Amino acid sequence: MAALIYPDYPPTLTSEQSDYIVSNIKDWSILSGLAVRPSSSFVSEKIDPSRSLAVTAPVTLFPSLFPRECFEEARAIQTAYNELYACIANDEEWLGEVVKELAEVDDFISNLWNVHQAVKKEGYVQDLSLGIFRSDYMVHKDPSNQEAKPEIKQVEFNTIASSFGGLSAKVSALHKHLLSISAYPPTIPPLISDSSLPPNPSIASLSRGIATAHKAYGRPKTSSQLPLCTLFIVQDLENNAFDQHALATNLLTDHSVLTFRLPFSTVLAHTSIPSDSPSQPLIYTPPHSPSTPYEVTTLYFRAGYSPAEYTSPNSWNARLHLERSAAIKCPSILTHLAGSKKIQQILATPSSPHLSRFLSSTASAAYIDRIQVTFAAIFPLDDTAEGKHAIEIATDPERIRGYVLKPQREGGGNNIYGLKIPPFIKSLGDDSKKYRGHILMELIEPPALRNGVFRNGEVTMGEVIGELGVYGVCLWRHGRDEKGEREILENWEAGHLLRTKGRESEEGGVAAGFGAVDSVCLIDV
């Protein structure tokens, strides 16, 4: 679509023009913290044994063209999506029926549900939940209708570790900076202008969400009135630390909220819950200052979403330990489970009654049709008529080309595409239960554009496709109030992310090594 209207965007660069853009990207990135830890394939452990080095995050040279109407619609419906998933997480009975079916075939889902059951049996001490969500879309235009307008189709909805809010705002600022210093060739403006590059408040908006939960926690629950902090639960050897630091820095400078980052594998070593306190506050003892413990108000999970992180029973003990504490979780176990691909498939079922169940208020009901049209065709792999039809497609090399098979997993690198699907299905054997851990989704076919990607010191130019993520913040109370109403205390759209990858790449995850962080250049189509 956009590539046909603007086939010469971006223009072919001379080596001098490319070098000038790249040099400014590197300089600006160093000053602003637009960085990641390099992979061992780029900088060996022998050269950097302490992991002290950093490189510019993979970024595009130019902002990518994006239809204005699609961008504005994705932002407009985000608060309704926030409410939808908050209400799903709040409906344990409905969610439990879905999860129990998945738990039969997916040990990871089963273990997450077991954590919830264990805390429920003991008694939850914290009824507030914080959601930092991201709804991901691609632009789709019906190839059979030349008059069709471009529209957004949802790729997935993320309820845990919705990353790159810290870097996405910086890339938006980077591209505005390159425009302001005339780094772009003179043939590009006015296509790129201040009015076509929308503001991106993701750092401020997401950190404000954590600060809001911190404030909602209230006064210290320990008798000794320990100082309060928030805690980011991160992965060991975290490559994406600078993205997280952007939020932590904003929390301190704009909200006077102190944040610590704690690797998931060390949770049990550095946190505790006093045995004599019925309110069960979570105490963090910094290893660098063991004489100064803190009470944790809010847990922001940037780890714990992948089965690979649960390497021993202690890993599950750590997740249970955090869940049973008084800290506000982002996300709670139930919110984590609400992000399963199976939930997305159920919601996307044509004529599904579930949207009306969860978006029951007058204001929310107005968004049901608008949400419904964002769903791509998604099928279960089960014994239903739809499931049997999907299995027929998944085992047919002639029909499977336009589909992707998705497991109940977060993070890049887990999906199976096209002709790789039939042999994978065959490897599952005749046990139909194993099929139910996956959903089959019709591929969204976004229009190709051109751009350059700067990664690991090298520039690659070519055809690319983009994926827009819209962030949302939601704070709610589990259960219902005295009138039987759900209590959503805060709800707002919180900025955006554009990830771009080469058109030939099947996966788009930046942290997984497939994509680059981009920004939006709005066009009228």
Side-chain angles (χ1 to χ4, degrees):
M1 172 263 308
L4 298 178
I5 299 174
Y6 299 102
D8 299 323
Y9 178 88
T12 301
L13 299 174
T14 65
S15 59
E16 290 80 8
Q17 288 171 328
S18 178
D19 289 346
Y20 186 68
I21 292 173
V22 168
S23 67
N24 277 281
I25 288 176
K26 290 190 290 188
D27 292 346
W28 195 92
S29 299
I30 291 171
L31 291 172
S32 70
L34 179 55
V36 293
R37 301 287 185 202
S39 66
S40 58
S41 61
F42 180 62
V43 177
S44 70
E45 292 183 13
K46 183 178 180 180
I47 295 175
D48 185 27
S50 64
R51 287 180 54 82
S52 60
L53 297 180
V55 298
T56 298
V59 297
T60 58
L61 272 59
F62 301 87
S64 286
L65 306 181
F66 202 91
R68 187 183 303 273
E69 286 188 11
C70 292
F71 177 76
E72 292 175 349
E73 179 65 3
R75 291 186 60 206
I77 62 176
Q78 183 60 37
T79 53
Y81 259 119
N82 293 346
E83 181 180 346
L84 172 62
Y85 275 84
C87 291
I88 289 173
N90 197 34
D91 194 331
E92 181 199 0
E93 182 179 358
W94 185 89
L95 180 60
E97 289 302 313
V98 178
V99 168
K100 287 172 186 174
E101 179 181 340
L102 291 176
E104 294 179 7
V105 296
D106 191 315
D107 290 341
F108 183 61
I109 296 293
S110 176
N111 286 329
L112 289 173
W113 183 250
N114 289 341
V115 169
H116 161 65
Q117 292 287 76
V119 180
K120 180 183 176 183
K121 183 177 180 180
E122 179 185 43
Y124 275 94
V125 295
Q126 179 56 262
D127 62 354
L128 292 176
S129 283
L130 175 66
I132 290 182
F133 300 138
R134 196 185 71 221
S135 187
D136 293 338
Y137 306 94
M138 283 186 173
V139 174
H140 176 76
K141 186 178 180 183
D142 185 354
S144 65
N145 182 2
Q146 292 299 317
E147 303 301 318
K149 284 191 171 185
E151 56 185 352
I152 49 171
K153 291 296 182 182
Q154 189 182 66
V155 177
E156 64 181 355
F157 192 90
N158 303 276
T159 63
I160 183 170
S162 303
S163 61
F164 290 107
L167 297 188
S168 60
K170 293 181 182 293
V171 175
S172 294
L174 166 66
H175 288 152
K176 287 187 177 182
H177 170 71
L178 293 173
L179 174 66
S180 69
I181 63 170
S182 300
Y184 292 138
T187 52
I188 288 195
L191 195 58
I192 303 179
S193 64
D194 286 337
S195 61
S196 67
L197 303 181
N200 188 358
S202 55
I203 293 175
S205 292
L206 296 177
S207 59
R208 179 164 67 93
I210 298 171
T212 300
H214 175 81
K215 183 178 179 180
Y217 181 86
R219 296 180 59 81
K221 305 181 190 310
T222 50
S223 57
S224 55
Q225 299 286 287
L226 295 176
L228 301 177
C229 75
T230 62
L231 200 59
F232 287 14
I233 306 299
V234 302
Q235 294 180 328
D236 292 1
L237 303 178
E238 176 63 74
N239 290 335
N240 201 23
F242 296 91
D243 177 51
Q244 299 159 10
H245 278 300
L247 303 185
T249 299
N250 189 274
L251 277 166
L252 185 61
T253 57
D254 285 16
H255 304 281
S256 300
V257 174
L258 181 62
T259 296
F260 295 98
R261 298 171 69 254
L262 180 66
F264 183 49
S265 64
T266 66
V267 161
L268 294 177
H270 301 303
T271 66
S272 61
I273 298 174
S275 58
D276 59 348
S277 177
S279 57
Q280 297 179 201
L282 183 67
I283 309 304
Y284 171 62
T285 303
H288 67 276
S289 182
S291 62
T292 313
Y294 290 82
E295 183 174 339
V296 180
T297 67
T298 309
L299 288 165
Y300 176 39
F301 284 89
R302 291 293 293 265
Y305 56 82
S306 168
E309 297 174 83
Y310 295 80
T311 56
S312 71
N314 268 346
S315 304
W316 287 107
N317 292 337
R319 189 66 186 270
L320 173 61
H321 169 73
L322 296 176
E323 190 71 12
R324 63 186 292 269
S325 77
I328 297 171
K329 270 69 69 176
C330 178
S332 68
I333 285 284
L334 290 179
T335 310
H336 184 172
L337 287 165
S340 301
K341 302 297 187 293
K342 182 65 177 179
I343 300 294
Q344 184 185 6
Q345 178 261 305
I346 291 172
L347 295 175
T349 301
S351 304
S352 164
H354 303 300
L355 289 180
S356 350
R357 173 191 180 102
F358 296 115
L359 299 177
S360 55
S361 69
T362 303
S364 302
Y367 286 92
I368 289 177
D369 290 341
R370 293 168 69 177
I371 288 176
Q372 192 76 55
V373 297
T374 67
F375 294 143
I378 308 176
F379 306 96
L381 296 181
D382 56 22
D383 295 330
T384 64
E386 295 87 354
K388 291 177 180 178
H389 174 67
I391 292 171
E392 289 179 3
I393 295 174
T395 53
D396 186 343
E398 297 301 319
R399 302 166 66 188
I400 197 58
R401 294 176 185 272
Y403 293 86
V404 54
L405 192 70
K406 294 186 174 185
Q408 311 297 327
R409 295 287 180 270
E410 296 293 339
N414 296 306
N415 299 332
I416 301 166
Y417 291 81
L419 292 175
K420 296 178 183 177
I421 296 175
F424 175 80
I425 292 292
K426 185 178 180 180
S427 73
L428 297 179
D430 297 328
D431 187 355
S432 61
K433 285 186 177 181
K434 293 182 179 179
Y435 294 6
R436 297 206 303 263
H438 301 78
I439 56 106
L440 187 69
M441 182 175 178
E442 192 171 2
L443 280 174
I444 304 165
E445 294 289 349
L449 302 170
R450 289 186 67 254
N451 210 330
V453 172
F454 178 62
R455 173 193 291 277
N456 290 346
E458 297 181 354
V459 173
T460 303
M461 301 292 296
E463 281 197 355
V464 298
I465 53 178
E467 185 173 313
L468 176 72
V470 179
Y471 295 102
V473 168
C474 193
L475 180 69
W476 69 96
R477 193 179 304 278
H478 281 273
R480 305 220 177 207
D481 63 17
E482 295 176 355
K483 297 180 181 179
E485 300 293 329
R486 301 183 180 101
E487 290 189 82
I488 295 182
L489 307 177
E490 301 285 351
N491 184 6
W492 65 79
E493 178 258 320
H496 61 274
L497 161 72
L498 188 66
R499 288 174 297 171
T500 290
K501 64 179 181 178
R503 187 167 181 83
E504 73 284 352
S505 174
E506 292 179 335
E507 296 285 356
V510 177
F514 304 104
V517 188
D518 197 348
S519 78
V520 169
C521 179
L522 299 178
I523 56 171
D524 295 308
V525 179

